[in-house]
Amino acid sequence: MAIVRFFKNLSAFQRVIIGLLLGIASGLFFGEVMGKLEIIGNAYVRLLQMTVLPYVLVSIIGGLGRLDATTAQKIGMRGGLVILFLWLLTMLTLLTLPLAYPDWQTAGFFSASMLDPKADFNFLDLYIPANIFYSLSNTIVPAVVLFCLLIGGALITVKNKGVLLDLTTNVSDALMRVASLVGKLAPIGIFAISASAAGTLDPEELGKLQVFLWVYLLAWLMLALLAMPLLVKWSTPFSYRELMRNAGEAMITAMATGTVLVVLPMIAERCKEMIEDKGIQNKETDSVIDVLVPTAYSFPSAGTLMGLGFILFSAWYVGSPLGLDQYASFVVMGALSAFGSMAVAIPFMLDYFGLPADQFQLYLLGSVVTARFATALAALHGFVVTLLVAAAVKKHLKWRNLFQAMGIHLGLTAVLMIGAGIVMTKAIPYNYTGDKSFEAMRLTNNLVKVHKEEPQALTAEQLAMERLALIRERGSLRVGYFPDRLPFAFRNEKGEVVGFDMELAHQLALDLDVELVAHRLHSSVDKAVEALNNGTIDLLLGGITITPLRATQINFTEAYTYHSIGLVVKDKRREEFRERSDILEMEGLRLGMPKARYFQSPIHELFPNAERITVAGPRNFFKGGEDESVDAFVYSAEVASAWTVLYPEYTVVIPEGVNMKAPVVFALPKQDISWLIYMNTWLSLKRDGGAIEPIYNHWILGRDPQKVTRRWSVAEDVFGWNL
């Protein structure tokens, strides 16, 4: 009972903090078992999202509809310009955040999303709601906002609008009560989210999240303590001290309660007192405050927009930072999507920029901290908007000084972010281990015994036999592979021959009930063809592709996967190669490519402006040397992505407008059709039975089905409990 009384006496903010701390502690103590609480966290998120769009609908319509024409004419233009200015200031501040992100080397395996076509931006679908109910049901926030603005503006001149305005007020109050009820579940929801995250997130992920939190807090301090007070001080009669003294209480109250709504009367009252102290108060300024404070609350504040910084962080976090050409879309789309709430805007923006949807859970974990600061900044935003517009109505606003203050703020913030990036790079421990992890990869199943030997060519009598019968009689399957054919066939740090094709070879040997002989070929393709046809090897693997000339010399199986043609470039040049149209405009472009005559012509058609340089192999390109003058290397995106794990200073790009594929097959001896028929049948069985997909996921996409390493937990690793 004492615990219950203690909990009841806590403020809402204290309860949430306790829920957060208990959740983190529970996740660390119990470990991965706490991941099962994710469903509770998801339920809480859905409850938060449930009332957002309906509230936007009635609050904007009601807020605008209550204005009379005269007041709207005086306030509309000035208020709109001030709000737009503050949005621009905040969004430009966010664009400085990537300057602080540490320059950590990261690399990853091939991602199927690299092949997804770029989503076309349809302005009409996004902004103009042909069917408002469709826009509401599909959470198309910009379209909903435009509809509300038009209806609210039209209501200004409607005579008999009292009933409708009363209805919007009642619905808004009801929605706020529902939101309040949901808010009481915050300790439980935050506990579930933090426990699930702390129990399942890798320590490296938590380390990266602190980057977002530190950078967010620095940007918050610059806006709250420099930019916004400076705007008021330089362009209105009010001083820095007057603003912060009056706004401080509202900011702290908003931070403690988690909502700006409760401090709206305080904002209006203090603004009137400040205007009265300057001797410029009259009915006009009172009307500005009475109308603007609740109306501005319906629009995104600087605190709300600050949350969009997570999109820039998320793009850096997954190793695909937004390009400069995407910043304009980020600013416009972010400002419009923020009319709802971050619970709606963040998933919308993640989807728009093609970022993983599960990043939203990471946002929620950090938002336990950032949301409180955002609320405090939103309260300050209310003061700044009201005072600037009131000064503008009285013709006391110095617009030129606003832009001077913005320039100083952005310059200082950029310098601060660069410095923060240097500090965090040195202060936060981070070591790239992708190369070591790749070199340590092993087969998911060692199904048969593997011999490493130098097989001999078959005798004339043996060559006369069907190869399949000979393999069964001999009790071994001989496979040949070239070096450096990762991730299809290569030697790991233990000297084991591993890879996508070797995994398939194990399954083939198991199905034939024979052992496996892995023979590393050091000779040319012509020698490999000879080894196939004289019986030294039975099968050639390693991401083999078909060419017309080779098809006259050996047999090829059906394709079991495909190579996607991409470009390997230095990380710093990634943006230059995103679009084929941009590549075609490059002068003096030098493209490296393997010695494969068949692919010369299609590559020339794709990039007719490029000088093609023959590169002996991927290792020659990645190590540099004689190929340092090559701007990009044309290669299989699947194979090159594996190489970039070893050489993380490079990245793989499939330019928009490039869609070229090459089949991946096994090579077989020319003279034996029965062996070819068997292999095609076997591959069909494996593909249709779903056996190839998990192997592809492991070796090409980098997903580890054998990963048994669990999160460290106190319960299991200290107390020895079996959970």
Side-chain angles (χ1 to χ4, degrees):
M1 292 299 294
I3 295 177
V4 174
R5 286 195 301 269
F6 171 76
F7 191 76
K8 286 184 176 180
N9 291 331
L10 296 175
S11 67
F13 178 66
Q14 291 172 328
R15 294 177 186 178
V16 170
I17 292 298
I18 290 176
L20 170 67
L21 296 177
L22 287 178
I24 294 174
S26 299
L28 294 175
F29 187 88
F30 293 104
E32 292 181 351
V33 69
M34 299 305 288
K36 296 179 180 179
L37 294 179
E38 183 181 4
I39 188 173
I40 298 177
N42 289 338
Y44 172 66
V45 171
R46 286 174 175 267
L47 288 172
L48 285 175
Q49 295 173 326
M50 178 176 62
T51 60
V52 172
L53 282 184
Y55 179 74
V56 168
L57 191 73
V58 297
S59 63
I60 294 180
I61 291 175
L64 290 177
R66 288 183 180 85
L67 296 175
D68 60 75
T70 302
T71 306
Q73 186 176 8
K74 287 184 177 181
I75 299 176
M77 182 60 71
R78 295 175 178 86
L81 288 175
V82 167
I83 291 174
L84 287 174
F85 177 85
L86 291 177
W87 288 354
L88 180 63
L89 171 69
T90 307
M91 297 305 291
L92 291 178
T93 301
L94 294 182
L95 295 183
T96 67
L97 302 192
L99 297 174
Y101 297 150
D103 186 19
W104 288 338
Q105 283 192 329
T106 59
F109 284 79
F110 178 77
S111 172
S113 63
M114 295 172 66
L115 302 175
D116 294 337
K118 185 177 179 180
D120 293 331
F121 175 69
N122 192 317
F123 181 89
L124 296 179
D125 288 345
L126 191 64
Y127 289 96
I128 301 180
N131 184 339
I132 186 59
F133 300 104
Y134 175 85
S135 299
L136 285 167
S137 62
N138 289 275
T139 322
I140 306 177
V141 180
V144 174
V145 169
L146 178 61
F147 173 82
C148 295
L149 291 174
L150 292 175
I151 295 297
L155 275 177
I156 294 175
T157 57
V158 173
K159 294 182 179 180
N160 299 318
K161 58 183 178 180
V163 175
L164 178 58
L165 293 179
D166 289 341
L167 177 63
T168 59
T169 300
N170 292 335
V171 173
S172 177
D173 291 344
L175 289 171
M176 290 302 296
R177 292 193 179 190
V178 172
S180 178
L181 290 174
V182 174
K184 294 180 179 179
L185 299 176
I188 299 174
I190 295 301
F191 169 82
I193 292 171
S194 58
S196 175
T200 57
L201 280 177
D202 290 335
E204 182 180 356
E205 292 180 328
L206 291 173
K208 283 186 174 181
L209 181 59
Q210 70 173 305
V211 171
F212 170 64
L213 295 178
W214 284 117
V215 172
Y216 179 95
L217 291 176
L218 286 176
W220 185 92
L221 288 171
M222 293 300 291
L223 281 171
L225 300 183
L226 175 66
M228 290 197 171
L230 199 61
L231 294 176
V232 174
K233 174 180 173 54
W234 279 17
S235 59
T236 72
F238 308 104
S239 69
Y240 183 102
R241 180 177 295 180
E242 287 174 323
L243 172 65
M244 298 308 295
R245 183 179 66 245
N246 285 277
E249 182 182 352
M251 292 174 67
I252 295 174
T253 304
M255 178 180 283
T257 59
T259 177
V260 183
L261 186 63
V262 298
V263 298
L264 293 184
M266 185 187 300
I267 294 174
E269 180 183 357
R270 296 300 171 82
C271 285
K272 289 181 180 179
E273 291 176 357
M274 293 175 67
I275 291 174
E276 184 179 4
D277 290 341
K278 293 297 180 182
I280 58 175
Q281 184 185 30
N282 57 25
K283 291 183 178 180
E284 193 174 41
T285 57
D286 286 345
S287 297
V288 169
I289 295 172
D290 291 337
V291 171
L292 197 60
V293 170
T295 302
Y297 173 74
S298 302
F299 293 85
S301 68
T304 304
L305 295 176
M306 278 288 293
L308 296 170
F310 180 81
I311 300 299
L312 298 169
F313 167 79
S314 179
W316 169 83
Y317 183 89
V318 301
S320 183
L322 298 188
L324 294 177
D325 59 325
Q326 295 174 297
Y327 278 4
S329 296
F330 170 77
V331 170
V332 176
M333 300 293 298
L336 291 170
S337 64
F339 272 91
S341 75
M342 289 299 101
V344 175
I346 295 298
F348 174 80
M349 295 287 285
L350 289 173
D351 179 67
Y352 181 80
F353 287 109
L355 299 171
D358 58 6
Q359 289 285 295
F360 184 54
Q361 296 297 326
L362 196 62
Y363 166 78
L364 289 174
L365 184 61
S367 70
V368 175
V369 176
T370 60
R372 295 290 167 166
F373 287 92
T375 307
L377 187 60
L380 179 61
H381 175 96
F383 273 92
V384 174
V385 169
T386 304
L387 293 175
L388 290 180
V389 175
V393 170
K394 297 292 292 182
K395 298 182 180 181
H396 289 300
L397 182 63
K398 302 173 184 176
W399 287 96
R400 183 179 179 180
N401 290 2
L402 289 179
F403 289 95
Q404 291 177 346
M406 175 193 283
I408 292 175
H409 159 72
L410 293 176
L412 292 176
T413 302
V415 172
L416 177 64
M417 292 303 166
I418 293 173
I422 296 173
V423 171
M424 286 191 290
T425 300
K426 295 181 178 180
I428 300 177
Y430 176 82
N431 292 311
Y432 177 73
T433 59
D435 53 345
K436 296 181 177 59
S437 299
F438 182 82
E439 292 170 349
M441 289 183 72
R442 307 186 68 183
L443 297 172
T444 57
N445 289 293
N446 288 294
L447 300 174
V448 297
K449 188 175 182 180
V450 180
H451 298 279
K452 298 176 184 177
E453 59 185 54
E454 295 289 336
Q456 301 299 315
L458 299 178
T459 64
E461 181 181 356
Q462 290 173 323
L463 283 173
M465 296 177 60
E466 289 185 350
R467 187 64 61 93
L468 181 59
L470 178 63
I471 292 170
R472 297 293 304 276
E473 180 182 302
R474 189 175 58 209
S476 65
L477 171 67
R478 300 172 175 179
V479 299
Y481 69 98
F482 292 112
D484 297 340
R485 288 299 178 99
L486 49 87
F488 288 89
F490 63 98
R491 289 182 179 176
N492 64 12
E493 62 180 9
K494 295 182 179 293
E496 303 167 333
V497 185
V498 298
F500 184 12
D501 284 2
M502 285 304 300
E503 195 94 47
L504 289 175
H506 269 262
Q507 292 201 11
L508 176 60
L510 179 67
D511 292 338
L512 291 173
D513 194 23
V514 297
E515 295 181 346
L516 192 62
V517 176
H519 177 47
R520 188 178 184 182
L521 301 169
H522 299 278
S523 53
S524 64
V525 175
D526 292 336
K527 292 293 185 180
V529 171
E530 181 182 346
L532 275 172
N533 289 326
N534 68 21
T536 302
I537 58 176
D538 305 310
L539 180 148
L540 179 64
L541 50 76
I544 305 298
T545 57
I546 302 174
T547 65
L549 181 60
R550 291 178 189 170
T552 65
Q553 302 170 316
I554 53 180
N555 287 331
F556 293 105
T557 65
E558 296 176 352
Y560 55 91
T561 187
Y562 291 87
H563 288 302
S564 307
I565 303 304
L567 299 178
V568 189
V569 299
K570 286 280 191 179
D571 278 340
K572 62 184 179 182
R573 301 193 64 185
R574 177 203 315 258
E575 295 302 319
E576 300 176 37
F577 293 87
R578 283 190 182 273
E579 302 278 349
R580 177 171 174 259
S581 58
D582 294 336
I583 299 174
L584 294 177
E585 295 177 0
M586 293 182 181
E587 296 182 1
L589 177 64
R590 292 167 59 90
L591 291 182
M593 59 181 301
K595 185 180 179 181
R597 188 175 63 184
Y598 175 70
F599 294 105
Q600 293 282 341
S601 179
I603 295 301
H604 176 68
E605 292 181 7
L606 282 173
F607 308 109
N609 61 317
E611 177 186 355
R612 298 185 300 282
I613 310 297
T614 300
V615 178
R619 189 176 295 277
N620 291 61
F621 172 78
F622 285 103
K623 283 193 171 182
E626 62 182 21
D627 303 315
E628 286 183 349
S629 62
V630 172
D631 296 297
F633 182 45
V634 183
Y635 210 57
S636 161
E638 290 83 354
V639 174
S641 295
W643 279 98
T644 60
V645 175
L646 300 179
Y647 297 91
E649 63 271 21
Y650 289 90
T651 191
V652 178
V653 179
I654 299 181
E656 184 72 20
V658 174
N659 185 20
M660 183 178 173
K661 292 181 176 293
V664 180
V665 297
F666 292 127
L668 307 175
K670 184 67 177 177
Q671 67 271 21
D672 201 319
I673 299 302
S674 63
W675 181 218
L676 175 63
I677 293 174
Y678 175 82
M679 284 300 301
N680 283 336
T681 303
W682 182 82
L683 284 172
S684 296
L685 288 172
K686 292 299 176 181
R687 182 174 56 248
D688 296 342
I692 293 180
E693 183 179 1
I695 301 175
Y696 179 90
N697 291 342
H698 177 56
W699 291 103
I700 306 300
L701 303 184
R703 302 171 187 168
D704 193 353
Q706 291 291 313
K707 188 175 182 179
V708 295
T709 304
R710 57 174 176 78
R711 273 292 311 275
W712 182 92
S713 68
V714 175
E716 293 188 279
D717 295 280
V718 177
F719 293 101
W721 299 351
N722 185 10
L723 301 178

